[in-house]
Amino acid sequence: MGRAPCCDKANVKRGPWSPEEDAILKAYIDKNGTGGNWIALPQKIGLKRCGKSCRLRWLNYLRPNIKHGGFTEEEDNIISSLYISIGSRWSIIAAQLPGRTDNDIKNYWNTRLKKKLLGRRNKKDNTSSDHDNPNNSDHTLSNSALERLQLHLQLQNPNHNNNNFSFYNNNPSLWPKLHPLQQKLIYNTLQSLNHTSHLTTIPQKDNTQLYNEPASSNYTTTDNDDAVQPEGAKISNRPAVTGNPVDMGRVDQFDVGMDQISALQTELHEILMSGYVATSPQKQEEEKQVGGYGCFGEIMSGSSSKDNLSWWFNDLDAKSASSNSWDSTTTTPQILQPGDHGMFQDYELGYIV
DNA sequence: AAGTTGCGCAACCGCCGGCCA
DNA sequence: CTGGCCGGCGGTTGCGCAACT
């Protein structure tokens, strides 16, 4: 037996809002507020709408100071950075962008920004691989995780063929921080690309600088890192994937990466299942350090490291934050500026207040 | 000019967690 | 402690328009 619907769907109007309905709703809320009860509100004001629909209309369209469209490059960067770091938690991302709604950001990301940063994927390839793969089970990388992985791959490539990531090269402290296993996944992907793809070449020059730790990272390399990363693969001294600007940021590069990722996810799964748990003092220390990786600080308490990683892979437990876009406009959060070292501090400290 | 395809956006759906009786 | 109600959230859908053939 399913959950009771929030309203009588047979007797509520659906679809686009008319100007008259907008005017009624706006006039009432301007004068009386929502009264703390969206479900009862439409009856009070004589609208044949579901309370949720009223709430959505108000939050996404009618409330004051809403901005539509015209995303700036700075907003693009903030959205991208936060998406890489915390995934599709649009309400939290929206809280960093006054006047923007989670719905707007979500739409903007899905329809424009993702394509701008990742390039346009081949729809046919994408769908066929999803449907034909019988191993596409619950430990498959989520689309969100794959996108974030791909963004990291591009982020770490110094010779990308567009200017979309110049922001990060100018502000390396803003690079999202990663769990060591995330770093390993990315590193292995890069290595696999180097070994298998005709599109990629091992660079002759040392690109160490672009792999240096972000200035704000809490992570410090320890001997134990070798248990997580391939030998000689310290994060701060990695080879870059390619020197060819055409190689990265394009559909063909992404598709090659997808093949490698499917193997890597198995490896990662084995790592998770085989005991990436804090069984030694070193690993316990590592777990503490993981708390400095973007969102990981939020989820460290009371959950296993496996759970933490499932956050990255499946975004399963990403609904705990209490911030919302309503609050984001009423409290006017501090706007993050490029160059701020504290872009992720809110998340490290337990999210926005 | 007409038909088709793709895109962008508003709105809907349903799950989840917090609150409260 | 428990169950129901409600708000919040992210994923998905569907419509309208523009671009393309």
Side-chain angles (χ1 to χ4, degrees):
Chain A
M1 181 161 161
R3 180 187 176 79
C6 65
C7 56
D8 181 5
K9 295 193 186 307
N11 292 320
V12 297
K13 186 183 172 193
R14 296 165 66 185
W17 281 63
S18 68
E20 293 76 20
E21 289 175 311
D22 282 347
I24 292 170
L25 180 61
K26 190 171 190 316
Y28 180 84
I29 295 178
D30 282 346
K31 188 177 178 185
N32 305 298
T34 65
N37 189 339
W38 284 105
I39 302 298
L41 189 143
Q43 282 188 326
K44 277 188 199 170
I45 60 179
L47 281 178
K48 289 186 179 302
R49 289 278 181 177
C50 174
K52 279 189 169 189
S53 182
C54 292
R55 174 184 164 272
L56 211 60
R57 185 65 178 171
W58 172 256
L59 291 179
N60 290 337
Y61 198 81
L62 296 176
R63 70 183 157 118
N65 304 320
I66 288 285
K67 287 188 279 184
H68 289 289
F71 281 81
T72 65
E73 186 182 358
E74 184 182 332
E75 287 174 317
D76 287 359
N77 291 323
I78 291 171
I79 294 168
S80 306
S81 180
L82 289 175
Y83 183 84
I84 293 169
S85 182
I86 66 174
S88 57
R89 292 197 277 189
W90 305 115
S91 60
I92 296 171
I93 297 173
Q96 295 297 328
L97 301 171
R100 301 295 187 185
T101 70
D102 51 357
N103 207 39
D104 239 10
I105 293 171
K106 177 173 58 182
N107 284 334
Y108 179 60
W109 172 262
N110 285 330
T111 59
R112 294 191 193 183
L113 193 53
K114 181 167 66 178
K115 292 167 188 169
K116 176 182 169 186
L117 297 180
L118 296 179
R120 290 162 191 263
R121 291 176 60 185
N122 185 323
K123 201 171 185 177
K124 178 169 165 282
D125 292 348
N126 187 27
T127 52
S128 64
S129 63
D130 286 348
H131 292 154
D132 299 342
N133 181 4
N135 297 322
N136 232 350
S137 59
D138 53 358
H139 55 268
T140 299
L141 283 168
S142 68
N143 287 340
S144 169
L146 287 171
E147 285 164 9
R148 290 153 64 195
L149 173 60
Q150 171 68 1
L151 283 167
H152 261 286
L153 290 172
Q154 295 202 139
L155 198 62
Q156 300 203 23
N157 170 43
N159 297 311
H160 42 75
N161 65 341
N162 59 39
N163 202 33
N164 293 335
F165 293 101
S166 60
F167 176 78
Y168 294 103
N169 291 337
N170 294 333
N171 303 277
S173 65
L174 296 180
W175 287 14
K177 289 173 282 185
L178 293 180
H179 185 283
L181 283 176
Q182 295 171 349
Q183 296 277 16
K184 185 192 177 186
L185 177 64
I186 290 166
Y187 172 76
N188 283 354
T189 303
L190 293 171
Q191 276 218 323
S192 299
L193 288 169
N194 281 337
H195 290 150
T196 61
S197 172
H198 66 282
L199 291 172
T200 58
T201 56
I202 303 288
Q204 300 304 309
K205 285 188 176 180
D206 177 26
N207 290 299
T208 298
Q209 185 184 354
L210 284 156
Y211 287 95
N212 281 344
E213 289 294 308
S216 61
S217 172
N218 296 335
Y219 183 71
T220 53
T221 305
T222 67
D223 291 340
N224 194 49
D225 290 337
D226 290 338
V228 177
Q229 298 162 13
E231 186 177 358
K234 297 289 169 102
I235 292 171
S236 59
N237 192 26
R238 292 177 181 158
V241 67
T242 176
N244 182 353
V246 179
D247 289 348
M248 296 295 283
R250 281 195 349 189
V251 172
D252 46 3
Q253 183 276 332
F254 184 83
D255 289 341
V256 171
M258 294 289 285
D259 292 340
Q260 305 307 321
I261 288 166
S262 66
L264 287 164
Q265 69 188 39
T266 303
E267 181 187 352
L268 262 289
H269 183 70
E270 286 169 1
I271 292 169
L272 301 182
M273 293 302 121
S274 66
Y276 181 75
V277 291
T279 54
S280 66
Q282 288 90 344
K283 286 196 172 184
Q284 286 171 5
E285 182 60 28
E286 188 176 76
E287 290 240 332
K288 281 188 207 168
Q289 292 164 354
V290 167
Y293 283 83
C295 59
F296 285 108
E298 166 212 12
I299 54 179
M300 278 305 293
S301 60
S303 59
S304 70
S305 58
K306 181 190 160 194
D307 289 338
N308 294 339
L309 285 154
S310 74
W311 180 90
W312 168 263
F313 289 114
N314 293 323
D315 301 332
L316 292 176
D317 58 344
K319 292 189 174 181
S320 59
S322 58
S323 174
N324 59 57
S325 44
W326 176 282
D327 292 340
S328 75
T329 54
T330 53
T331 58
T332 315
Q334 180 184 1
I335 302 173
L336 294 164
Q337 300 296 334
D340 279 353
H341 283 228
M343 171 163 277
F344 300 105
Q345 284 178 358
D346 286 338
Y347 304 99
E348 294 170 9
L349 295 173
Y351 283 120
I352 296 116
V353 272

